[in-house]
Structures are given as structure tokens and as C-alpha cells.
Amino acid sequence: MLKRYHHIVGGAFRLVDACVIGITWVLSYWIRFYVPLVEVTKGFPPFEKYAALSPLIMILWAMVFSVMRVYESRRMLRRTHEAHAILRAHGAALLFFIALTYLFSEYRYSRVVMIYFGLLGAFLLVVFRLILRNSLRAFRRKGYNLRHVLLVGEGPALEMI
């Protein structure tokens, strides 16, 4: 039962992380070119060039997070330790992604988009992971996925079955 639960929760974490990172990539493009935080001087690149990388980014992040053991069962881990593990894995995936875009592409992606993506991705991954983790803890408090012990007997000399 516990192993099946671990696969379900791990799959939910993978799905949430993949969706968050894919949406963050597209959102970073939108913030860079449609919100005037930093002036655009070299023109507007086509959205399709950026959107086409979304599946690669989602798969890459899932692979790096798996290799760096972010999806292991961490019931007893403090939230700060989990956030640190996520940030470390996100940084490694981001460096790997930037290296891949510069090695294998004739098109150069915006550095400002990469910066927005790195910062916004780190923030949103940690926030959504903590929301998901806190939701699971709330379910456990309500009685779901608990390890039950049946106690039989009276007084201080209780027997565990």
C-alpha cells in the first residue's frame, strides 16, 4: 500500500512540476516581450521558437529532478530542506538547459527570458511544491494514509497486534 501511495504521490509531484515549469517558460517569454520591465531593443522573436521548447524543458526538468532524487519519499523532511533540494535541482537543470540551447541551436534565445525563467521557475516550483506537500499533510491529519496500530488490552500493559 505504501509503495503504491509513493508512486501516486511521486507522479503527482512530477506532473505538477512539469506543468509549472512549462507554464513558467511561456510566462517568461510573455513577461519579457509584453511587459515593459526591460526595454526590447532587438525586436520580437516569434513565439513559436520559444513554445517549441516547452516539451523539452518539461522532460529535462523531470529527468534532472529524478536524477537528483527530488521525487523520493520525504515525509519527515523539513520544508526548508525540501525547498533547498528543489532549488539545487532547478539550478542544475537550468544550467544544463542553457548549455543545450547554446550548443545545439542556431537560434539564440533571449538572456533576459532565461533570467526571468530561472527566477520565476525557482519561486513557482518551491511555492507549488510546498502547497502540494502541505495539502498531503492536511489529508494525513484527516486520517488518510496513516499507519494504523490496533491496540488490545487494558491499562498500561497494552498489547500491539
Side-chain angles (χ1 to χ4, degrees):
M1 178 70 178
L2 192 58
K3 187 171 265 198
R4 187 181 80 195
Y5 172 78
H6 173 68
H7 289 299
I8 292 170
V9 171
F13 283 174
R14 281 180 177 84
L15 181 65
V16 168
D17 288 347
C19 291
V20 165
I21 211 67
I23 290 169
T24 302
W25 175 247
V26 173
L27 187 62
S28 298
Y29 172 87
W30 184 79
I31 290 172
R32 169 65 179 115
F33 295 110
Y34 294 104
V35 177
L37 297 176
V38 177
E39 183 182 350
V40 178
T41 58
K42 296 182 181 179
F44 289 82
F47 175 72
E48 292 78 24
K49 292 251 186 211
Y50 284 81
L53 284 180
S54 294
L56 170 71
I57 289 170
M58 294 164 73
I59 292 169
L60 178 65
W61 257 251
M63 287 173 39
V64 170
F65 276 34
S66 293
V67 168
M68 295 189 75
R69 306 172 80 179
V70 173
Y71 295 123
E72 286 187 354
S73 178
R74 296 178 186 256
R75 224 180 232 200
M76 305 306 281
L77 192 65
R78 294 179 56 188
R79 290 174 184 97
T80 55
H81 293 276
E82 185 170 10
H84 183 261
I86 291 168
L87 292 174
R88 191 176 57 230
H90 175 66
L94 185 63
L95 287 175
F96 192 57
F97 172 65
I98 291 170
L100 282 176
T101 59
Y102 280 95
L103 287 176
F104 297 114
S105 178
E106 67 277 352
Y107 181 78
R108 298 290 179 214
Y109 296 94
S110 169
R111 291 175 296 210
V112 178
V113 170
M114 296 290 185
I115 291 169
Y116 288 162
F117 176 61
L119 296 175
L120 191 61
F123 175 73
L124 290 178
L125 282 169
V126 170
V127 166
F128 277 95
R129 177 62 70 92
L130 292 179
I131 288 171
L132 191 59
R133 183 69 68 184
N134 288 337
S135 299
L136 290 173
R137 286 183 178 153
F139 283 137
R140 276 191 216 102
R141 277 195 299 272
K142 290 182 181 180
Y144 297 103
N145 193 36
L146 294 176
R147 294 181 184 169
H148 296 285
V149 175
L150 177 63
L151 299 174
V152 178
E154 296 179 13
L158 296 177
E159 296 179 30
M160 284 199 307
I161 295 179

